[in-house]
Amino acid sequence: MAARLLRVCGRAAGLCPRRGCGEAAGLRAMGFSQEQARRLLGVEPRLGPQRREAAVAQLLLLGLNAEAALGLLERSPGLLRMPKEQLQERAGELRRLGLDGGQLQRAVSRCPELFTLPRKRMAAAVRLLRERCLLTAEQLREVLWTCPNVLLEEPHQLHHHFQYVYFRMGVQQKEIVKARLFRMSFAELRNRHIFLERRGLYQTPYKGQTQTNNPKLKDIVQLSEKDFLANLACSTPEEYEVFKKLLAREEEEEENRGALYTDKDEDFDSEGSKAA
């Protein structure tokens, strides 16, 4: 299958040798419909035909169909300007992390930024997930294809996100991975967790012992806000909105107190230095 696709893409990349064949015919030869070819030509219209078709060929070789490749390029047109060698190299790196076939297709479709992410940034996130979060190779692979955006997070923010769930909520790695934790922002996760906690519906682990009657992390993360409030929190949207505003005010007051204490400490140090 891959060899046949390479032959088709190779013929298309050189365009039709007859005069007047045009780019559209080359794209049609790669499997795009007339309408899809028209839309694709509207993405980065000033780009040269060989550059366009070389990039498209790489996406097709990942296993994306014509509509999926087109949708990806419409969302991230900058991919067309990337050298095909860079696209090949990044796809190879993702494969070495265990992503292949359908997993690789879904990951790049959900997060096309994987192709433009600096290599050091990606390596730092992977290293943190393995060495600090202690995910197994299988768990890492599942995180990467279900939540590929995790590679875009700053490592210290990613670690804080994980630590909050592991220590504060008492959830182990296996459940964290199955819940697709990193699809939800840390701010929203924290809002939901503390809301449940203050309503007496979630108990903080005591001496490392997780409370078995706590709601599942999967439900906290994956339910829509409407279903979360109705099925888990037994509350109304109005109550939740008031809670979020009060929580934000609490955090702001804590930050102000922290800044005040810091200023006092600096004044004290300054006076102490003068006395000395």
Side-chain angles (χ1 to χ4, degrees):
M1 179 65 180
R4 184 168 65 86
L5 183 56
L6 276 170
R7 290 195 297 273
V8 172
C9 294
R11 289 197 300 270
L15 289 180
C16 181
R18 294 175 299 174
R19 292 176 60 114
C21 185
E23 286 187 72
L27 295 172
R28 291 291 301 277
M30 299 172 77
F32 291 89
S33 69
Q34 184 173 349
E35 173 60 20
Q36 289 171 335
R38 184 192 65 77
R39 287 166 54 194
L40 187 50
L41 290 174
V43 180
E44 296 285 346
R46 296 184 179 180
L47 196 67
Q50 292 185 342
R51 187 73 171 271
R52 181 190 309 279
E53 293 184 1
V56 170
Q58 292 307 313
L59 297 180
L60 295 177
L61 288 171
L62 291 179
L64 297 178
N65 60 33
E67 184 61 31
L70 174 59
L72 183 63
L73 292 170
E74 287 179 327
R75 296 197 307 276
S76 300
L79 294 180
L80 285 173
R81 296 191 172 276
M82 291 182 62
K84 70 174 184 178
E85 293 79 12
Q86 186 175 345
L87 291 171
Q88 290 173 333
E89 181 183 19
R90 181 51 52 87
E93 291 174 0
L94 293 171
R95 287 191 176 98
R96 284 191 290 275
L97 291 173
L99 299 181
D100 208 347
Q103 293 181 346
L104 180 58
Q105 296 166 33
R106 284 189 286 272
V108 298
S109 295
R110 288 193 179 109
C111 188
E113 295 86 353
L114 293 179
F115 283 117
T116 56
L117 184 69
R119 182 186 297 177
K120 289 184 178 180
R121 177 80 170 273
M122 186 170 77
V126 169
R127 187 164 57 250
L128 186 144
L129 289 168
R130 287 301 310 271
E131 299 177 4
R132 304 292 295 278
C133 302
L134 300 179
L135 298 187
T136 65
E138 179 63 29
Q139 288 171 338
L140 174 65
R141 180 164 56 249
E142 187 167 351
V143 166
L144 293 182
W145 77 264
T146 57
C147 311
N149 58 292
V150 72
L151 295 177
L152 307 181
E153 292 193 43
E154 291 287 350
H156 70 278
Q157 294 175 344
L158 177 60
H159 196 210
H160 182 59
H161 199 159
F162 171 83
Q163 284 187 313
Y164 183 90
V165 176
Y166 187 83
F167 292 106
R168 182 79 166 74
M169 298 178 68
V171 182
Q172 299 296 309
Q173 283 93 338
K174 183 177 180 179
E175 188 178 350
I176 287 173
V177 173
K178 294 298 181 184
R180 313 293 192 246
L181 168 66
F182 300 106
R183 287 188 182 178
M184 173 170 280
S185 70
F186 173 71
E188 179 58 23
L189 171 74
R190 186 170 178 270
N191 283 340
R192 292 191 179 193
H193 168 241
I194 296 177
F195 190 58
L196 290 172
E197 197 173 47
R198 294 189 181 180
R199 293 180 66 83
L201 299 172
Y202 200 104
Q203 297 182 39
T204 302
Y206 178 70
K207 294 184 177 180
Q209 296 299 313
T210 303
Q211 303 298 320
T212 56
N213 59 338
N214 280 338
K216 297 294 185 183
L217 179 64
K218 180 179 179 180
D219 294 330
I220 297 174
V221 170
Q222 296 187 11
L223 287 176
S224 66
E225 183 174 296
K226 178 181 177 181
D227 291 336
F228 164 75
L229 293 173
N231 300 332
L232 288 189
C234 303
S235 183
T236 65
E238 293 75 17
E239 289 176 316
Y240 190 45
E241 287 304 313
V242 170
F243 160 77
K244 287 191 286 187
K245 291 178 182 178
L246 291 174
L247 184 61
R249 186 183 301 171
E250 288 178 18
E251 293 174 346
E252 184 178 356
E253 290 174 352
E254 288 178 4
E255 290 176 0
N256 291 337
R257 284 197 296 269
L260 179 62
Y261 292 145
T262 300
D263 291 342
K264 287 183 176 180
D265 290 342
E266 290 177 351
D267 291 342
F268 180 80
D269 291 340
S270 179
E271 292 175 1
S273 298
K274 291 179 181 178

